Amino acid sequence: MTTPARYDVVVVGGGFAGSLVARALGDGGWRVLVLEAGTDGAEDATHTFQTTVAKTPTSALRANALVPSPDVLDLAGGPGGYTATGYLRQTGPLPYSSPYLRVNGGSGTAWTGLVPRMHPDDFGYHGVGRRWPLGYDDLEPYYRAAEREIGVAADVDEQREGVGLPFPDGYVFPMHGLPRTYLDDVLAEALDDREVSDPYLGGPTSLRVVGTPQARNAPPNRAYDGGRGFRPAGHRCAGYASCMPVCPEGAKYTPRRTQARWPSTVTLRTRAVVHRVARDEHGRVTGVAFRSYEPGSAGRHTVEEVTADLVVLAAHAVENARLLLMSGLADGSGQVGRNLMDHPALLTWGLTAAPTGPYRGPGSTTGIEGFRFGPGRRVRAPFRIEIGNWGWVWALGPPDRDVDELLAQNVFGTDLRRRLGERVGRQFALQFEIEQEADPANRVTLDPDRRDAFGDPRPVLHYDLSDYVKRGMAAAKRVSDQIFALLGAEDHTAYRPEPGMPGYFEFDGTPYAYRGAGHGAGTHLMGASAADSVVDAWQRSWDHPNLYLVGCGSMPSLGTSNPSLTMAALALRSAEHMDRELRAARRLTVTDVKENAPS
């Protein structure tokens, strides 16, 4: 296929944000080219995942040596610290532990499907990190638009009362909330309205188990959209316990669902690795250059160029920063690549007093919200508690590990089945997602010595956790101890400097270990001033008026919510601004032609 020389818009990245921006602008009649570095990649994802030995977020996709994706298996811990191999070079005291996918659909191809909104309090400033240049009210209409596009299942009254989120009168989610699991009910019965103490707060905090909004198909709500209802795409969630990374039923949203709705004005090219964004002498970007390759070509490629009125980078926080640094763009503030954030997740795990039947339903259907807000976040990082439905999978690995352990003890036959049922049937885990503040020392730079298959520098990550985050983890562990006591559960949590815990550290003499939640953010964050931020509140570069940097990389803070829904809302809001700017420029051009026409 021959690529036309010019488009109205070029979008770099076919993931969550890029797919939404492309659809919005395509619906506006603009000619949009989407360039995706990875392959289409997900046609046989379910089979690939089922046949792989190590079940990680990247294991559903065939390896692409030319455009590799960082994997959790690239990291290993030990008594001397951690080691990092693979695509990313890491130089920080602690590892950046989150993978991301370089494939069509991006990390939205293999995600948890949890879509809570950020709380209004998350947009405020609490004495650490950065300020948002917009508030919840600015984003609220776009939250609703994103919930329609994704197809969100939740109970609006529960979100209003249990989380404290404001919604317009009469609003309901497109689909009813997913049913709770039996484990959710057991925990709610034991914990609701009970109180625990936080070591950094003066008073107690009340517990309540609250449903988590899901990007999974549930019964449509007939009251949605003023009574017009909602027609979901794909099958209804069947409760598979293997829907991370890929849902066998297609009940979970992925960006491919949005891509299927693209109008004919949007063109997708995969295997197109953008390596330079071009600009003119006036500071406006003019287009991009990319490397086109075939699988198995050992790095052989052709270089193509395309011009556009507007360029949108939507290639993940790390890859956006890498491309900006390679192009020498948008860094008037010196903040490109800085402020890399994630949700470092502290896991605790144990056995309930009676069987609770784990491995039913999505990975998490409920959480505990009471530690997200309030004065405590001024002295320690806030956190949200996810109640995990999948036993000890994320903490230690799948139940195969239990089988191996019992076989090593010469337990076989009926006794093996009985003891496995007794152990696996009582497993549960709590996942504490800790907010990490923006810190300019956590950053992405370029490695001049290690290059990818096309000769471009690979990213270097320097990452650490502040004492603010570590105090959040210490508080989370104390809260976990009290929850386990209220449940009468056996606590099997143990943090050790071993290969499976590269995020191991000690704080105030106590051991901890964290996992990456896959919520990479920062690196081109938004602000109110060009002096200390990379983009404005529209995710537009301060330095280049027709360059937009969309995705979690723009977020000044993450709060404690999974960020995909907020990223989607921001992308839709920015797409409206792009449309206005394109139309204004088009009107200006037509006016100039008329005024300069011969009389």
Side-chain angles (χ1 to χ4, degrees):
M1 181 178 69
T2 301
T3 303
R6 184 168 188 79
Y7 284 82
D8 296 317
V9 182
V10 169
V11 177
V12 180
F16 227 114
S19 296
L20 291 170
V21 168
R23 185 192 178 195
L25 294 178
D27 286 345
W30 302 108
R31 294 176 66 245
V32 181
L33 174 65
V34 180
L35 297 173
E36 167 55 51
T39 62
D40 209 38
E43 299 87 352
D44 56 355
T46 301
H47 175 74
T48 304
F49 178 70
Q50 290 172 339
T51 54
T52 194
V53 175
K55 312 295 188 189
T56 72
T58 62
S59 60
L61 305 168
R62 293 183 178 179
N64 182 353
L66 298 180
V67 183
S69 298
D71 194 347
V72 293
L73 299 178
D74 296 340
L75 295 171
Y82 74 94
T83 58
T85 56
Y87 174 62
L88 299 175
R89 180 184 164 203
Q90 302 221 29
T91 61
L94 290 171
Y96 178 80
S97 302
S98 283
Y100 58 90
L101 293 179
R102 302 175 74 200
V103 67
N104 183 32
S107 297
T109 301
W111 67 308
T112 60
L114 304 183
V115 282
R117 294 185 180 195
M118 285 177 65
H119 191 275
D121 193 49
D122 294 332
F123 294 88
Y125 180 66
H126 306 281
V128 295
R130 293 296 196 100
R131 299 176 187 272
W132 280 77
L134 53 84
Y136 179 90
D137 290 343
D138 298 308
L139 205 54
E140 201 284 330
Y142 303 95
Y143 270 134
R144 280 181 277 143
E147 285 158 358
R148 172 189 284 276
E149 177 67 29
I150 290 170
V152 173
D155 183 323
V156 72
D157 291 333
E158 186 176 35
Q159 292 300 301
R160 188 180 282 122
E161 296 162 10
V163 187
L165 290 172
F167 296 91
D169 291 342
Y171 180 70
V172 297
F173 286 96
M175 292 174 280
H176 292 285
L178 290 184
R180 293 183 175 195
T181 63
Y182 180 61
L183 174 67
D184 293 332
D185 289 337
V186 169
L187 265 63
E189 184 174 349
L191 301 179
D192 278 359
D193 300 324
R194 303 295 294 273
E195 293 181 338
V196 297
S197 63
D198 176 335
Y200 295 98
L201 294 179
T205 299
S206 182
L207 302 175
R208 177 158 293 277
V209 175
V210 179
T212 304
Q214 305 276 332
R216 293 178 168 82
N217 291 340
N221 192 330
R222 292 180 179 178
Y224 181 71
D225 194 17
R228 285 180 281 275
F230 180 78
R231 183 185 294 273
H235 294 162
R236 190 172 297 179
C237 177
Y240 279 100
S242 58
C243 60
M244 170 66 189
V246 291
C247 172
E249 286 287 329
K252 183 174 67 175
Y253 172 87
T254 77
R256 288 167 180 269
R257 195 176 286 176
T258 290
Q259 293 178 7
R261 300 168 184 151
W262 281 350
S264 60
T265 54
V266 180
T267 301
L268 170 68
R269 283 196 63 177
T270 57
R271 305 188 305 277
V273 185
V274 176
H275 62 280
R276 180 171 57 86
V277 180
R279 53 162 289 183
D280 63 19
E281 66 275 21
H282 305 295
R284 294 183 66 83
V285 297
T286 56
V288 303
F290 62 96
R291 307 183 194 280
S292 177
Y293 68 93
E294 294 296 328
S297 61
R300 293 186 299 275
H301 62 275
T302 59
V303 175
E304 300 181 34
E305 296 185 359
V306 61
T307 60
D309 295 327
L310 192 147
V311 174
V312 181
L313 304 191
H316 187 272
V318 172
E319 297 300 322
N320 273 0
R322 180 191 181 212
L323 183 52
L324 289 171
L325 293 170
M326 288 166 57
S327 303
L329 294 177
D331 202 19
S333 64
Q335 294 298 308
V336 167
R338 296 185 180 273
N339 306 296
L340 176 66
M341 292 176 280
D342 194 4
H343 279 136
L346 183 81
L347 308 184
T348 59
W349 55 97
L351 298 175
T352 50
T356 53
Y359 302 99
R360 298 173 184 170
S364 178
T365 37
T366 60
I368 297 174
E369 313 284 343
F371 303 93
R372 296 174 59 181
F373 326 113
R377 69 190 309 172
R378 286 194 169 273
V379 293
R380 56 103 178 107
F383 51 89
R384 178 177 181 272
I385 308 174
E386 280 186 12
I387 297 172
N389 289 325
W390 294 347
W392 295 356
V393 163
W394 197 13
L396 299 178
D400 313 38
R401 182 178 181 278
D402 299 282
V403 178
D404 290 345
E405 208 172 289
L406 290 172
L407 289 176
Q409 299 171 23
N410 293 321
V411 180
F412 300 101
T414 304
D415 193 30
L416 174 65
R417 287 195 294 275
R418 181 186 61 78
R419 292 179 62 175
L420 272 176
E422 192 274 337
R423 180 193 292 194
V424 176
R426 296 194 294 135
Q427 290 179 352
F428 80 106
L430 301 179
Q431 299 148 193
F432 297 79
E433 296 199 354
I434 318 282
E435 180 178 37
Q436 181 176 26
E437 81 279 20
D439 178 350
N442 288 338
R443 64 184 302 194
V444 179
T445 55
L446 301 178
D447 190 337
D449 301 321
R450 294 177 71 237
R451 294 178 177 268
D452 66 14
F454 302 115
D456 297 320
R458 292 190 177 193
V460 182
L461 272 55
H462 183 95
Y463 186 77
D464 200 2
L465 303 181
S466 68
D467 283 358
Y468 177 73
V469 174
K470 291 176 180 175
R471 286 194 293 272
M473 285 197 185
K477 183 61 173 66
R478 290 284 296 276
V479 168
S480 177
D481 293 344
Q482 295 168 76
I483 289 176
F484 275 59
L486 289 171
L487 292 171
E490 298 174 21
D491 193 345
H492 287 247
T493 306
Y495 308 120
R496 304 185 185 91
E498 59 186 28
M501 295 188 182
Y504 175 87
F505 67 93
E506 295 181 9
F507 181 62
D508 286 342
T510 302
Y512 300 93
Y514 66 94
R515 310 279 186 182
H519 300 164
T523 75
H524 49 81
L525 49 76
M526 68 168 65
S529 168
D532 61 4
S533 60
V534 180
V535 298
D536 63 15
W538 302 106
Q539 302 190 81
R540 179 173 60 174
S541 163
W542 288 109
D543 298 350
H544 313 286
N546 61 337
L547 174 65
Y548 289 77
L549 315 173
V550 302
C552 292
S554 297
M555 296 171 66
S557 69
L558 280 170
T560 53
S561 300
N562 307 57
S564 295
L565 184 74
T566 300
M567 175 178 65
L570 288 169
L572 294 174
R573 182 174 182 270
S574 294
E576 278 192 5
H577 188 264
M578 296 173 203
D579 180 73
R580 288 195 296 271
E581 292 292 297
L582 286 165
R583 293 187 189 283
R586 188 63 53 89
R587 284 196 297 272
L588 186 62
T589 303
V590 171
T591 302
D592 286 346
V593 169
K594 287 181 178 177
E595 289 180 349
N596 295 324
S599 58

